[in-house]
Amino acid sequence: MTNFPSPPSSPSPQESDDLNLRKLVDTLSDHRWFIVSVTGFFLLAGYFNASSQPRIYQADALVQIETRGSNLAFMESLGEPQQGNPTSAELEILQSRMVLGETADRLDLAIQVEPRRLPLVGDFLVHHGVNQEWFESLTPNFILQWLADSEDDWNNPYVWAGESLRVARFDVPEENVGSEHVLRLIEGGEFELLLDEQTLLTGSVGETAQNDELGYRLFVSQAEAHPGAEFTLVRTSALSAIGELKNRFEIIPRGLESGVYELTLNGSDQSQIQPTLDTLTSVFLTQNVQRHSEEAENQIAFLDEQIPQVSNQLSDAEGMLNDYRAQRDSVDLTFETQNLLTRVVDVENQLSELAMREADLAERYRPSHPNYQTLLRQRGQLEAERDRLNTLVNELPETQQEVLRLTRDTQVNQQVYVQLLNQLQEMRLVKAGTVGNVRILDAAMLSPGTIAPRIALITAVSGLIGALLAMLVLVVRMLLSRAIKTPEQLEELGLPVYATLPNSGEQAGLTERIRPRRSKKAQEVFRGLLAIKKPAEIAVEALRGLRTSLYFAMLESDNNRLMITGASPGVGKSFIAANLAAVCAQAGQKVLLIDADMRRGHLHHAFHGKGVKGLSELLARRISLEEAIRHSDLDGLDYVARGSVPPNPSELLMQQSFHEFLDTISKSYDLVIVDTPPILAVTDASVVGKLVGTSLMVVRFDTNPPGEIKAAKRRLESAGVRLKGGILNGVKKPTSSRHGYYGSYLYAYR
């Protein structure tokens, strides 16, 4: 009677958590080469992608924007308050189309030149310094021939490392702005310009080529490339050029409210970035100085217009005063009248100043502006004071009134005239010394190296993503997998486990893939027996344990026949049947191994024999029993090959000849092992199982799900075949675990 171990007790929650964590670690460790392979692939892909990206360079400059520039003395003298934030205004001007557009026009940034690269790998090769000669010397001839066949115009049109093109001028008609033109170099420094395979013009490097009829003009200043190299030329619109320049330009403040800003410009053309940033800062500085200078020029023009008028008014006033004094014999003013005159002149001067200030404000503000309203209130107060003084003047004697009025006009005009002359001199000094409120602290300088792409970072991140993705796939697969992994799972299905066979690495050396004749699918066969080649292998030791278990299990059987089957293909039933037969023969038993899989059986390969003249011919009575049984190199072990593939294997097994064959050989051998096809694939196992005393089903570790085992078990039971137990094959021992899945089950005999 077979003794089965008692079922294990349910693990505690802590033990379950430990097992789950250990299972996760073991799964990742077992598939470490898969993780390494995926990580390596992502590393290479990330490096290739990063190395294929354009190299981006950067230049930087440093400018200072002062809060107050060279304010006009005239405005300061009038008490004009400073409005807004000059720094913010200057930053907006720096990014305006006025500055960026002038820069793009000076350098003609609307011209875009792109080299034609080899598809997919061209940029990668160029960035690693591969030139034309190196590429052609390392590339196999058949690839060069393929390129020549696939490219009708193949003369190596691709641009390689060390080759470049400089275009100083490229004028196109309005309708072709933005169109991609192709410039192809020819022998002798010549070139041709094409659009849609139509030649527009031809010319030489260093000379202007033009086609007035089509509206094209092109000047190639430099061309360092092999004949046949092609470049793409595009003339973009001015707005597109400004937008592209603005996208590459950045302003970074340096220090809190310091007024110092770092200007950066990046791009893929290393030789053009620094000149572009230098031009941009120069344009910005020039317009800033001109803007401040224009204000002084406007004031000078206004003063030049006012001074002659005031001078004439002064002359007329002096003449009228002198004539009146002459008529009245030099009338003098009393002390009270003199004081009144001083007050009147002071008010008139203030009104004159307000009048000039109003003229200036009227050009910049509306009458509703607060500054304008303040000026109007001041003027109203002064006019009221003037009216009050005029009332006092009207109370004086007629002679005193007239002398006071004439003297007032003379003094007012004289003070205004002197003030205008002084302001004119101040404006001329301001114009001569105008420097604006912008300073270039550091001229543009190209930074060493590149700022993008960051190849090392991209490669590392790609490798990390690959590792995480590989581990995620393994974890999801582990969580979703319901395949049998432990003997307990089989026992829960009512299938006692007779042996647990570990996965054998040595068996892989005996296995090879072949494609049988008239078959579309290849299958794995093993040549030689592991029990003979590597008798100390742990899997062979497990088969010896199975041999001992079977000795007791078959004591209750009706005969000495053993069927080895499986639920699905690829579970290792043929490997177990052949090697079990070998270890039984090594123990002194006389064993016959029958390959009853007449469709795809391959046990004859294990004995380096042929499949013909086997079971199918024997059952068809085309050969005798002596011809069908073959002897192996191992004493006590004979075998019967499958024979030729018949059209009706199941019907042959159901014939009386198969019954007679089994009855005959059972008397001549101690053990008869029959290898059958998968249960769920065909009905052969159900037919054979009725004729044998013991049946075992092989279950593949982490391959067969419980539902598959249940279906196979039901199919056999419905045919009247009772499974004695199962064999868990191909158990993989986790490398990071001390015990693993089978540590305590390797010698658990049934």
Side-chain angles (χ1 to χ4, degrees):
M1 182 176 178
T2 306
N3 295 322
F4 300 102
S6 59
S9 59
S10 300
S12 64
Q14 180 63 38
E15 291 175 343
S16 179
D17 293 340
D18 293 341
L19 288 174
N20 290 336
L21 179 59
R22 188 177 68 187
K23 183 179 178 181
L24 174 61
V25 174
D26 290 343
T27 300
L28 297 179
S29 179
D30 289 342
H31 297 84
R32 59 188 180 279
W33 291 116
F34 171 74
I35 298 175
V36 170
S37 300
V38 174
T39 302
F41 173 78
F42 272 77
L43 281 172
L44 293 176
Y47 177 75
F48 177 81
N49 179 66
S51 299
S52 300
Q53 300 299 318
R55 298 294 187 263
I56 303 300
Y57 303 89
Q58 186 180 76
D60 60 84
L62 206 62
V63 301
Q64 180 186 16
I65 301 177
E66 298 175 344
T67 304
R68 290 177 61 87
S70 299
N71 290 335
L72 298 179
F74 174 69
M75 299 304 299
E76 292 178 350
S77 65
L78 293 179
E80 174 68 14
Q82 189 174 358
Q83 300 295 327
N85 188 342
T87 302
S88 299
E90 294 297 342
L91 293 178
E92 293 299 326
I93 293 173
L94 181 56
Q95 301 177 82
S96 66
R97 287 197 294 267
M98 177 180 66
V99 175
L100 298 180
E102 178 67 21
T103 303
D105 290 341
R106 288 189 185 183
L107 301 177
D108 212 347
L109 299 181
I111 301 176
Q112 296 182 357
V113 181
E114 291 292 337
R116 182 179 178 184
R117 302 292 192 202
L118 190 69
L120 299 179
V121 298
D123 291 324
F124 178 83
L125 296 177
V126 169
H127 293 156
H128 286 77
V130 177
N131 54 30
Q132 179 187 5
E133 293 77 13
W134 192 8
F135 173 76
E136 293 182 350
S137 64
L138 295 180
T139 305
N141 291 330
F142 74 91
I143 295 182
L144 294 176
Q145 184 62 39
W146 174 78
L147 289 172
D149 295 339
S150 61
E151 297 278 355
D152 296 336
D153 56 347
W154 171 261
N155 188 19
N156 198 353
Y158 306 112
V159 180
W160 301 94
E163 299 181 331
S164 61
L165 180 76
R166 293 290 175 189
V167 177
R169 183 173 184 178
F170 183 42
D171 297 336
V172 302
E174 188 67 26
E175 62 271 13
N176 288 338
V177 171
S179 301
E180 292 187 355
H181 301 74
V182 176
L183 187 144
R184 181 183 300 152
L185 297 179
I186 313 176
E187 296 283 353
E190 302 290 322
F191 64 83
E192 58 180 352
L193 183 69
L194 302 95
L195 179 63
D196 298 331
E197 300 300 327
Q198 178 184 357
T199 302
L200 301 177
L201 53 82
T202 58
S204 302
V205 177
E207 299 179 0
T208 300
Q210 63 184 44
N211 187 330
D212 295 334
E213 182 179 352
L214 298 177
Y216 280 90
R217 179 172 296 181
L218 175 63
F219 181 78
V220 179
S221 58
Q222 181 184 5
E224 296 181 0
H226 65 277
E230 295 182 358
F231 297 83
T232 300
L233 267 64
V234 178
R235 177 78 188 192
T236 63
S237 63
L239 194 60
S240 298
I242 294 173
E244 192 270 341
L245 178 60
K246 187 174 183 178
N247 292 335
R248 298 188 290 121
F249 179 60
E250 186 178 5
I251 303 173
I252 304 173
R254 296 281 293 271
L256 184 62
E257 298 182 358
S258 64
V260 178
Y261 296 87
E262 181 181 6
L263 311 181
T264 62
L265 182 69
N266 58 65
S268 57
D269 192 342
Q270 186 177 8
S271 61
Q272 192 183 49
I273 299 174
Q274 181 175 343
T276 302
L277 187 56
D278 266 331
T279 303
L280 193 151
T281 55
S282 176
V283 170
F284 178 54
L285 179 62
T286 301
Q287 67 80 29
N288 180 267
V289 173
Q290 289 179 349
R291 194 170 72 252
H292 287 81
S293 177
E294 286 175 0
E295 190 173 353
E297 290 178 353
N298 292 336
Q299 294 298 332
I300 290 174
F302 175 75
L303 293 174
D304 286 339
E305 181 182 352
Q306 294 296 321
I307 287 176
Q309 299 178 10
V310 175
S311 177
N312 294 333
Q313 293 174 4
L314 176 60
S315 299
D316 294 341
E318 289 178 344
M320 294 176 63
L321 177 60
N322 292 330
D323 292 342
Y324 187 78
R325 286 179 179 272
Q327 294 175 4
R328 299 293 182 175
D329 294 331
S330 185
V331 178
D332 294 327
L333 297 175
T334 63
F335 179 77
E336 292 78 3
T337 306
Q338 187 66 42
N339 290 336
L340 183 60
L341 174 63
T342 302
R343 293 163 60 189
V344 171
V345 170
D346 183 59
V347 171
E348 291 291 344
N349 287 335
Q350 293 183 40
L351 287 173
S352 299
E353 292 178 3
L354 288 179
M356 289 192 300
R357 184 177 174 185
E358 182 180 4
D360 179 70
L361 289 179
E363 296 180 358
R364 294 186 289 172
Y365 305 118
R366 293 182 178 181
S368 59
H369 193 273
N371 291 346
Y372 207 116
Q373 290 294 319
T374 300
L375 184 143
L376 294 178
R377 285 194 297 270
Q378 293 176 357
R379 188 180 67 179
Q381 294 173 358
L382 292 175
E383 288 177 348
E385 178 65 15
R386 183 184 60 181
D387 294 339
R388 188 182 67 83
L389 294 176
N390 287 336
T391 302
L392 296 177
V393 171
N394 293 333
E395 295 177 355
L396 295 175
E398 181 181 355
T399 304
Q400 292 291 320
Q401 289 183 27
E402 189 64 25
V403 173
L404 186 144
R405 290 191 181 93
L406 294 175
T407 304
R408 178 198 62 190
D409 294 341
T410 302
Q411 291 183 3
V412 168
N413 289 324
Q414 185 176 12
Q415 290 183 10
V416 171
Y417 181 72
V418 172
Q419 183 180 9
L420 292 177
L421 290 177
N422 292 335
Q423 291 173 358
L424 179 61
Q425 294 299 322
E426 290 176 0
M427 290 302 101
R428 288 172 178 171
L429 292 175
V430 168
K431 179 182 177 181
T434 297
V435 295
N437 63 334
V438 173
R439 286 196 302 163
I440 308 298
L441 302 180
D442 291 336
M445 181 172 292
L446 187 67
S447 302
T450 61
I451 62 170
R454 302 174 66 178
I455 298 178
L457 179 61
I458 294 176
T459 303
V461 171
S462 299
L464 180 60
I465 293 175
L468 293 176
L469 184 61
M471 289 188 286
L472 180 62
V473 169
L474 293 175
V475 171
V476 172
R477 179 185 173 188
M478 182 188 71
L479 295 176
L480 296 180
S481 175
R482 297 181 54 85
I484 299 296
K485 294 184 179 179
T486 62
E488 288 84 354
Q489 292 177 279
L490 284 178
E491 292 175 352
E492 291 174 358
L493 298 175
L495 197 65
V497 179
Y498 273 71
T500 302
L501 274 64
N503 189 46
S504 175
E506 298 292 342
Q507 178 64 24
L510 303 176
T511 304
E512 63 181 46
R513 294 182 64 85
I514 64 170
R515 177 175 293 179
R517 188 178 302 175
R518 300 178 183 177
S519 177
K520 296 181 179 180
K521 295 183 179 180
Q523 65 179 108
E524 291 186 349
V525 301
F526 54 95
R527 298 185 183 275
L529 298 177
L530 186 65
I532 299 176
K533 301 284 186 181
K534 300 288 182 179
E537 173 71 15
I538 189 172
V540 178
E541 195 63 38
L543 287 172
R544 293 190 182 101
L546 176 61
R547 177 188 65 191
T548 306
S549 298
L550 286 174
Y551 174 77
F552 296 100
M554 295 183 69
L555 291 177
E556 302 174 354
S557 300
D558 298 334
N559 53 54
N560 60 348
R561 304 165 198 163
L562 170 66
M563 180 180 73
I564 303 293
T565 187
S568 59
V571 297
K573 56 181 180 56
S574 299
F575 162 76
I576 293 176
N579 285 277
L580 177 61
V583 297
C584 290
Q586 289 172 342
Q589 291 181 291
K590 189 175 182 181
V591 183
L592 178 65
L593 176 64
I594 301 175
D595 190 353
D597 186 355
M598 289 181 285
R599 293 173 174 81
R600 301 185 61 189
H602 56 270
L603 283 177
H604 55 278
H605 290 290
F607 301 97
H608 304 284
K610 295 183 179 179
V612 295
K613 293 185 179 182
L615 182 62
S616 61
E617 286 87 355
L618 175 64
L619 299 182
R621 304 185 186 278
R622 289 202 292 266
I623 61 174
S624 64
L625 180 61
E626 291 75 13
E627 291 179 292
I629 297 177
R630 307 178 192 178
H631 302 289
S632 69
D633 296 335
L634 182 63
D635 292 338
L637 176 59
D638 297 336
Y639 73 97
V640 176
R642 73 179 186 204
S644 302
V645 179
N648 53 347
S650 299
E651 287 74 6
L652 284 177
L653 293 174
M654 296 176 66
Q655 292 179 2
Q656 185 64 30
S657 58
F658 184 59
H659 293 225
E660 296 173 353
F661 165 65
L662 292 180
D663 291 338
T664 302
I665 61 175
S666 295
K667 301 174 183 178
S668 304
Y669 291 90
D670 299 324
L671 177 64
V672 177
I673 300 177
V674 184
D675 180 25
T676 66
I679 301 170
L680 298 179
V682 291
T683 62
D684 297 15
S686 300
V687 176
V688 175
K690 298 257 314 176
L691 304 176
V692 300
T694 305
S695 300
L696 295 178
M697 182 164 61
V698 180
V699 178
R700 189 76 180 183
F701 172 85
D702 201 19
T703 300
N704 295 116
E708 200 171 78
I709 304 303
K710 290 180 180 179
K713 189 169 178 288
R714 280 196 305 267
R715 179 168 294 187
L716 288 175
E717 291 174 349
S718 63
V721 179
R722 180 178 178 273
L723 277 174
K724 195 74 173 180
I727 302 172
L728 185 57
N729 182 36
V731 178
K732 296 179 181 178
K733 181 179 181 180
T735 55
S736 60
S737 175
R738 292 184 179 180
H739 303 291
Y741 291 121
Y742 65 86
S744 60
Y745 301 102
L746 182 57
Y747 300 104
Y749 306 128
R750 302 294 194 274

